[in-house]
Amino acid sequence: MLRWFARRLLLAIPVVWGVVTISFFMMHLAPGDPARTALGEKASNASVAALRHQWGLDQSMPLQYLNYLKQLVHGDLGTSVYYHAPITSLMAQRLPVTIILVVLSAILTMLISVPLASRSATHPNGIAAVAVRLFNAVVQGAPTFFIGAMLILFLGVRIAIFPAGGYPADIGGRAWALVLPALTIALGTVPIMVRGLRAAMIESYGSEYVAFARSKGLPERPIRYGYVLRNAGISGVSILGIQVGALASGALVIEQVFAIPGMGSMLMTGILNRDYALVQACTLVFGLLVVVVYLGTDLAYARLDPRARLS
Amino acid sequence: MTVDSTGEPLIVEGLSLALDIGGVQLNALRDVSFSLRPGEARGLVGESGSGKSLTLRAILGLLPPNARITSGRMVVAGQEFDLTRTDRDHRRRIARLRGAQIAMIFQEPGVALNPVVPVGRQIVDAVARRNGLTKRAAREYALHLMELVGIHDAAAKIDAYPFELSGGLKQRVMIAAAVAGEPQLILCDEPTTALDVTVQKQILSLFTHLRDELHASLLYVTHDLAVVAQLCDSVTVLYSGEVMESSDDLRAVFDGAQHPYTEALLHSTPDVDRIEQRLYSIPGSAASLSDRTDGCQFAPRCEYARDDCRTGSIPDTSGTPGRVVRCLHKVGAPADGVPVGGIDG
Ligand SMILES: Nc1ncnc2c1ncn2[C@@H]1O[C@H](COP(=O)(O)OP(=O)(O)O)[C@@H](O)[C@H]1O
Ligand code: SF4
Ligand SMILES: [Mg+2]
């Protein structure tokens, strides 16, 4: 188990390196000059050149790349020229918000999908099945930010049980403030999850092992939980693992809609202000997150499926 | 267990079943009847596709969703069931039989066990729940059952997952799970077909052993008459969803098959004492569901067939109690004589 884990971590290194390299060159090859952006259109060419020298932007690209890698190896993400602050401390504030948002949306995805899939698997013409079909049609036709706006309108403004945006200082208020954005992100993944889970459950219900369980006299309830959901859950975990990328990118967009101070708004600011170090750091952290999530998925998979434990 | 006081463990009468295939209703079983006495082992014999599995599943109410029972009644230990019913109350009564009165052993041990649950738990999950066994007692019982079905290192295997066991061991696990509720009747759906020849022999002798040990009746489905010869007291021969020949006395059939199909089956089984899978060498092949016709289903392959075989339904012409022969021109009957029992129209 430990060796398996170590091997997976080693395999992640080239992935992370690739993400770092691509983000570095994408930023540096894109048009625009961070020094010029920082000083404004009216600044003299001399002062811009001086700032470029101070930030090391006058060095050759390969040299800048090597310096950047050296810095990363030492655990230093650099300094944000926009925020005038070390990026590590910016991350410490922003990253937890986004992680909580993504985790919350993953939990909501499962809380909504499992009962819906389960009900529509056993009652293919029931209310749940019809609701799922309708819901799929709506969600697939509308982009996430639109659904977010609608949720703000109804739950945030009309009924006003949730805040329509912003991020209060107290913990309780923060948790409450994250529910609506998390729900918005989750709604984008629910249709995919419901479809996958329902198909897996229908297959399981028609399987020989369920017929044999019934022939032993096992009641439907333990068959549903111990046999059908237990087996369909394996598909559920892999779908969730794949969808975490979608959840994370959903978080980036939705943070803007709900004015949540997470990674998304920071990344946006960084891109608009040509803050190379900040954008690269954000990309790197996202890359790391995805690697961690895939590892977590594999661990969960191995817990659920004994056949996967061997390899 | 006092099977005698509760009467026949199973009577099936006039079971007919239709399958919905692409919106078309096709008859998969027609007027199937048989019964078992306490402790009896009956062989249900027929080629692949003759409706053996559907018959067993109809008894336990485990039919596929596109199957519909169009007629038939069943008596299990004195309880009557109208098999055409589909209401909740009926389904509950059938469900109560499962595991406790009637258990079933499936053909493919590889797919009939839950892949993600240890085998020990699958052996006792249903019975532990029914009888309110503690975790510890359930585990003890699972170990006991595993030993009963000849798993020698039960303690080492009890926490194994199905994929970690061989086909033969998985089949033993399934047998252990089936006998866990001490059913009066065990339905066996070709329990050795998916196994190696040597393992087949072991599982067959396990059945012989369990019959004596548990005093349960067996309804043993197979396509192999040699297996029937070794294990059973009586036999029912199925062809294209219909009973061709049936006898409460197995020897009577082996010594003098009266139905041409049974005769052909016996001829294609060169040595009934050898237990081995073999292909039938009856000319032609079994009719598919959509090819079923009026008259005798076996007519296209029957060397005794005449014009009158191809119309109407073929009556029982045996004339002997405990025996059914659905044939107009039985083996050994005079070539143009009137069939025993007589028919009209
Ligand atoms: N769910 C189903 N849908 C369509 N056809 C089926 C289904 N189940 C069984 N059949 C058909 O019904 C016939 C009898 O099946 P079965 O009882 O499994 O035969 P046996 O067990 O004797 O091999 C076969 O022709 C089979 O293809
Ligand atoms: S009824 Fe006719 S066709 Fe059918 S088995 Fe008898 S002789 Fe053959
Ligand atoms: Mg079968």
Side-chain angles (χ1 to χ4, degrees):
Chain A
M1 192 64 197
L2 222 68
R3 274 190 46 192
W4 173 85
F5 200 74
R7 221 182 61 209
R8 290 301 306 264
L9 276 182
L10 279 179
L11 281 175
I13 290 174
V15 176
V16 172
W17 175 71
V19 168
V20 165
T21 306
I22 291 174
S23 72
F24 177 89
F25 284 104
M26 272 200 352
M27 272 320 275
H28 282 76
L29 293 175
D33 179 1
R36 171 60 71 191
T37 317
L39 294 177
E41 290 303 318
K42 295 197 185 81
S44 71
N45 282 345
S47 54
V48 169
L51 192 58
R52 285 181 62 87
H53 177 73
Q54 191 195 325
W55 287 349
L57 294 172
D58 51 350
Q59 292 170 329
S60 74
M61 192 92 72
L63 201 62
Q64 287 188 49
Y65 175 63
L66 284 180
N67 284 338
Y68 175 57
L69 284 189
K70 213 188 296 174
Q71 181 195 325
L72 281 186
V73 170
H74 288 103
D76 181 7
L77 291 174
T79 307
S80 161
V81 296
Y82 177 79
Y83 290 102
H84 300 290
I87 294 175
T88 19
S89 63
L90 288 173
M91 283 291 171
Q93 293 167 14
R94 303 270 184 150
L95 186 56
V97 178
T98 300
I99 290 183
I100 292 171
L101 189 56
V102 171
V103 169
L104 200 57
S105 59
I107 293 173
L108 284 176
T109 300
M110 292 319 270
L111 282 183
I112 299 169
S113 301
V114 170
L116 275 181
S118 168
R119 185 74 195 170
S120 56
T122 45
H123 299 78
N125 295 314
I127 295 171
V130 174
V132 164
R133 253 173 270 151
L134 252 171
F135 178 77
N136 280 358
V138 172
V139 169
Q140 256 149 26
T144 328
F145 59 82
F146 176 74
I147 295 170
M150 287 295 119
L151 282 178
I152 292 176
L153 207 61
F154 284 103
L155 295 177
V157 179
R158 275 288 177 78
I159 313 179
I161 45 170
F162 292 103
Y167 200 58
D170 62 302
I171 303 252
R174 285 186 171 181
W176 205 232
L178 287 179
V179 171
L180 218 47
L183 184 63
T184 311
I185 303 167
L187 289 184
T189 352
V190 161
I192 300 164
M193 183 60 81
V194 168
R195 218 175 311 136
L197 271 182
R198 187 185 52 195
M201 289 186 73
I202 288 174
E203 191 192 324
S204 186
Y205 268 121
S207 71
E208 287 285 282
Y209 61 78
V210 163
F212 182 59
R214 286 179 174 145
S215 83
K216 293 186 297 191
L218 200 64
E220 283 306 305
R221 185 178 265 273
I223 285 178
R224 165 179 299 212
Y225 293 106
Y227 282 63
V228 175
L229 272 175
R230 184 74 176 68
N231 277 281
I234 297 171
S235 323
V237 164
S238 30
I239 296 171
L240 192 63
I242 295 166
Q243 287 304 314
V244 160
L247 291 179
S249 54
L252 294 188
V253 176
I254 285 311
E255 280 176 9
Q256 309 294 316
V257 178
F258 284 87
I260 304 283
M263 294 273 292
S265 41
M266 188 161 78
L267 178 63
M268 259 348 203
T269 313
I271 292 173
L272 291 177
N273 292 290
R274 302 269 140 225
D275 194 337
Y276 286 180
L278 187 59
V279 174
Q280 281 159 209
C282 287
T283 329
L284 171 61
V285 167
F286 267 112
L288 284 175
L289 273 185
V290 169
V291 167
V292 168
V293 164
Y294 281 159
L295 261 173
T297 310
D298 282 355
L299 279 177
Y301 204 94
R303 273 232 41 78
L304 282 178
D305 192 347
R307 288 160 296 186
R309 275 172 221 169
L310 282 187
S311 47
Chain B
M1 219 169 4
T2 51
V3 278
D4 301 301
S5 64
T6 48
E8 246 94 358
L10 176 69
I11 302 170
V12 172
E13 244 175 47
L15 173 63
S16 298
L17 184 153
L19 287 170
D20 182 318
I21 294 167
V24 184
Q25 303 286 318
L26 300 173
N27 290 320
L29 296 176
R30 201 143 61 185
D31 197 17
V32 172
S33 305
F34 54 84
S35 64
L36 277 96
R37 288 156 294 172
E40 177 180 344
R42 177 174 289 271
L44 188 58
V45 184
E47 284 165 283
S48 172
S50 55
K52 307 182 295 293
S53 297
L54 285 175
T55 306
L56 297 192
R57 284 175 190 246
I59 293 168
L60 278 181
L62 295 175
L63 288 168
N66 63 336
R68 193 170 53 87
I69 295 175
T70 52
S71 74
R73 64 185 270 277
M74 160 171 107
V75 183
V76 177
Q79 279 179 275
E80 272 246 22
F81 296 88
D82 174 358
L83 291 176
T84 58
R85 279 174 59 177
T86 54
D87 55 289
R88 210 185 167 89
D89 185 48
H90 171 78
R91 292 203 309 269
R92 279 223 188 97
R93 283 181 71 216
I94 294 262
R96 272 202 291 274
L97 296 177
R98 296 184 197 141
Q101 302 266 7
I102 306 177
M104 178 159 164
I105 294 157
F106 286 51
Q107 179 168 353
E108 295 269 355
V111 295
L113 294 172
N114 186 343
V116 297
V117 172
V119 293
R121 262 169 48 199
Q122 296 193 56
I123 292 175
V124 288
D125 55 2
V127 72
R129 180 171 276 270
R130 220 167 23 237
N131 301 344
L133 298 186
T134 63
K135 256 199 160 127
R136 196 196 173 92
R139 196 175 167 86
E140 286 299 313
Y141 189 42
L143 281 171
H144 163 76
L145 288 168
M146 286 171 86
E147 272 152 24
L148 179 74
V149 298
I151 301 176
H152 302 300
D153 44 354
K157 296 283 193 294
I158 188 167
D159 294 316
Y161 290 94
F163 78 97
E164 295 171 312
L165 302 183
S166 69
L169 273 181
K170 272 184 275 202
Q171 194 54 283
R172 285 180 198 269
V173 165
M174 211 179 341
I175 296 168
V179 302
E182 298 182 327
Q184 294 181 14
L185 170 63
I186 303 172
L187 313 176
C188 308
D189 193 357
E190 305 197 46
T192 65
T193 304
L195 306 174
D196 297 339
V197 179
T198 44
V199 185
Q200 283 184 24
K201 285 184 187 164
Q202 293 165 6
I203 298 288
L204 270 179
S205 53
L206 172 63
F207 275 115
T208 320
H209 167 73
L210 284 178
R211 262 195 75 184
D212 300 338
E213 191 102 336
L214 305 172
H215 312 291
S217 308
L218 292 184
L219 182 57
Y220 196 99
V221 160
T222 176
H223 57 255
D224 194 341
L225 276 174
V227 171
V228 176
Q230 183 186 330
L231 196 64
C232 299
D233 313 303
S234 56
V235 67
T236 297
V237 178
L238 216 55
Y239 184 85
S240 288
E242 293 179 20
V243 172
M244 297 285 120
E245 181 158 13
S246 187
S247 173
D248 289 353
D249 177 12
L250 182 74
R251 288 266 55 111
V253 170
F254 274 71
D255 294 344
Q258 296 188 359
H259 197 285
Y261 177 59
T262 318
E263 185 192 42
L265 272 186
L266 282 168
H267 282 166
S268 67
T269 307
D271 179 358
V272 291
D273 293 325
R274 253 182 46 221
I275 295 120
E276 214 174 281
Q277 258 179 278
R278 60 182 71 78
L279 294 170
Y280 294 113
S281 51
I282 306 170
S285 58
S288 71
L289 283 182
S290 50
D291 289 342
R292 296 196 179 166
T293 50
D294 214 18
C296 178
Q297 300 299 333
F298 189 55
R301 297 165 78 187
C302 179
E303 53 180 302
Y304 301 81
R306 299 204 219 142
D307 286 347
D308 55 351
C309 298
R310 294 185 175 87
T311 49
S313 75
I314 310 295
D316 173 16
T317 57
S318 124
T320 319
R323 183 99 184 236
V324 172
V325 182
R326 278 203 168 130
C327 176
L328 298 179
H329 314 285
K330 292 188 292 190
V331 179
D336 41 350
V338 179
V340 186
I343 44 149
D344 212 0

